[in-house]
Amino acid sequence: MDIFSELESNVQCYARAFPAVFDKAQGALLTDKYGQRYIDFLAGAGSLNYGHNNPVLKRALLNYIEHDGIAHSLDLHTSAKEEFLKTFKTLILEPREMSYHLQFTGPTGANAVEAALKLARKVKGRTNIIAFTNGFHGVTQGALSATGNRHHREGAGIPLQHIIRMPYCGYHGWDVDTLKMMDRQLSDPSSGIDLPSAVIIETIQGEGGLNVAEKKWLQGLSALCRKHDMLLIVDDIQAGCGRSGTFFSFESYDIQPDIITLSKSLSGFGLPMAIVLLKPELDIWQPGEHNGTFRGNNHAFVTATAALKHYWTNSDFEQSIAHKAQLITKAFKSLSARFGVTRLRCKGRGLMQGLECASGEIAEEITQQAFQRGLIVETSGNRGQVVKAFCPLTIEESVLEDGLAILTASVIATLSKCHAQVS
Ligand SMILES: *Cc1c(COP(=O)(O)O)cnc(C)c1O
């Protein structure tokens, strides 16, 4: 029996789908301990937007460690944090005319979500928060309450409360305006809904199956929040940091969320780091009221700063993301046309695109075929039915083409023997 089966908890999951022992990685390529190479369309579930061991980030980190830079600092001020804050202000906030305070939370996405929910409840003095069907916000108790997925929710062991579930954009089909439903329920004094403090939303649902909220809908949601005195929390942990095509996923939507959560690719190097952006007037925290031992991961600050300086000083990076996104769209559209939208439907946008299959079993078969051909790609969606292509944003075009060719071959091999339709 190998040491993983012997000692590691049954809770492991990705390791079951991709049972290799990985050893090295560079860019979009992973190598296992026997030297077998894989193209990585998983990218740490969106934590490796700049690829594995990105040379620019690696150099910055090696220099920092070599000079005895501070590694751990609670929330003490350090030069690494100073440089990150200055860079985030000048390269991200100011050009977008955004004014926010930064709260460094514990280093995982769930930590940032917990802080955001806690702050919203504290500011408004109300318990409920609206979250959406198929939303994913993490698996700690508070974040899990906001998460829709039953498989995850059933692990909670206690009632998951204080969340009101509303239908996401398009949930009841495109001819049903779910905002109108929400507005009506929130406006009716006898609807049975106690006024929430906030709404938490992913503009593109990562784990939920790459469902995209329309611009008009999100603008309407933002207006609805103002109308009913609720804060708008955008959970940009997965869709942010360039994944959707721009640094924040909502940049083209003309909305200004009250609170934004970022994590996954924020450090750029796969190092744990999370922040909550909050409108300055919402910053009513008492010193130390919300804390955490690992809020000062300075190695992550160093690589995050290097990533911002290298990729976000002009629009070149965004243009290259758009170009790669087009290549994926083209490949996926041609597959969807070949098999028909009833069997294969294109989902998502930017470099968070996928193919919706008729069932989770079909999607899984495709990803298993891909793995045998040397491509790592996972599934998402309420029934695991969406094959989710998440390459690093920095992937070379030739590697992207190779990955798409493997995915295409895997789809054709799977669908040629199965004719089930997307519901
Ligand atoms: C991954 C994710 C989280 C949770 O982050 P963890 O680091 O796994 O706790 C929260 N929200 C969204 C949208 C995510 O994709």
Side-chain angles (χ1 to χ4, degrees), residues 104-380:
F104 294 89
T105 64
T108 70
N111 286 144
V113 170
E114 294 288 349
L117 300 179
K118 197 193 264 189
L119 181 67
R121 289 174 170 134
K122 184 174 160 69
V123 167
K124 293 294 178 191
R126 296 181 221 123
T127 306
N128 284 335
I129 288 181
I130 289 178
F132 291 92
T133 48
N134 292 310
F136 182 84
H137 302 287
V139 296
T140 53
Q141 303 286 5
L144 185 56
S145 301
T147 290
N149 184 294
R150 184 181 297 159
H151 173 64
H152 291 122
R153 293 176 68 86
E154 281 179 351
I158 55 166
L160 295 172
Q161 298 172 325
H162 314 309
I163 292 287
I164 296 171
R165 190 72 45 184
M166 291 288 185
Y168 193 73
C169 178
Y171 185 75
H172 290 296
W174 292 107
D175 43 352
V176 177
D177 183 352
T178 59
L179 273 186
K180 234 185 192 160
M181 296 170 59
M182 280 172 66
D183 190 22
R184 198 179 160 103
Q185 283 180 276
L186 290 164
S187 304
D188 179 351
S190 290
S191 68
I193 298 231
D194 299 322
L195 191 60
S197 56
V199 167
I200 183 165
I201 184 148
E202 298 160 271
T203 62
I204 306 169
Q205 295 184 320
E207 299 307 301
L210 306 175
N211 308 310
V212 180
E214 289 179 329
K215 178 175 181 172
K216 243 183 69 199
W217 190 88
L218 272 175
Q219 291 175 336
L221 181 66
S222 173
L224 193 75
C225 284
R226 277 194 297 281
K227 179 176 172 189
H228 295 285
D229 187 34
M230 307 180 295
L231 298 175
L232 177 62
I233 305 171
V234 170
D235 180 349
D236 233 8
I237 288 170
Q238 188 159 155
C241 302
R243 180 53 65 182
S244 71
T246 47
F247 187 83
F248 294 106
S249 66
F250 51 82
E251 278 177 37
S252 59
Y253 295 154
D254 280 334
I255 56 167
Q256 285 267 357
D258 299 293
I259 299 175
I260 303 157
T261 53
L262 286 176
S263 180
K264 290 211 162 82
S265 271
L266 182 59
S267 80
F269 202 66
L271 294 171
M273 175 177 180
I275 56 173
V276 174
L277 301 176
L278 51 140
K279 289 266 179 198
E281 63 271 22
L282 301 179
D283 199 352
I284 60 164
W285 289 118
Q286 296 297 311
E289 189 177 8
H290 188 83
N291 64 17
T293 306
F294 288 104
R295 286 170 297 151
N297 184 356
N298 287 267
H299 292 173
F301 300 161
V302 168
T303 52
T305 305
L308 295 180
K309 285 185 175 167
H310 192 74
Y311 291 102
W312 297 98
T313 48
N314 58 40
S315 64
D316 292 356
F317 190 49
E318 284 166 302
Q319 280 165 25
S320 84
I321 299 171
H323 181 65
K324 288 169 194 170
Q326 276 170 11
L327 297 178
I328 297 179
T329 306
K330 193 168 148 240
F332 285 4
K333 275 198 170 151
S334 113
L335 277 171
S336 178
R338 174 172 176 156
F339 291 101
V341 281
T342 55
R343 294 177 64 202
L344 209 56
R345 187 177 295 160
C346 299
K347 302 286 301 270
R349 76 173 166 87
L351 285 181
M352 50 193 309
Q353 296 185 59
L355 283 166
E356 181 168 23
C357 308
S359 70
E361 290 70 40
I362 295 173
E364 196 186 321
E365 167 74 20
I366 292 170
T367 60
Q368 283 309 303
Q369 292 245 1
F371 182 60
Q372 279 152 29
R373 292 171 160 91
L375 174 74
I376 295 182
V377 58
E378 70 162 327
T379 59
S380 71

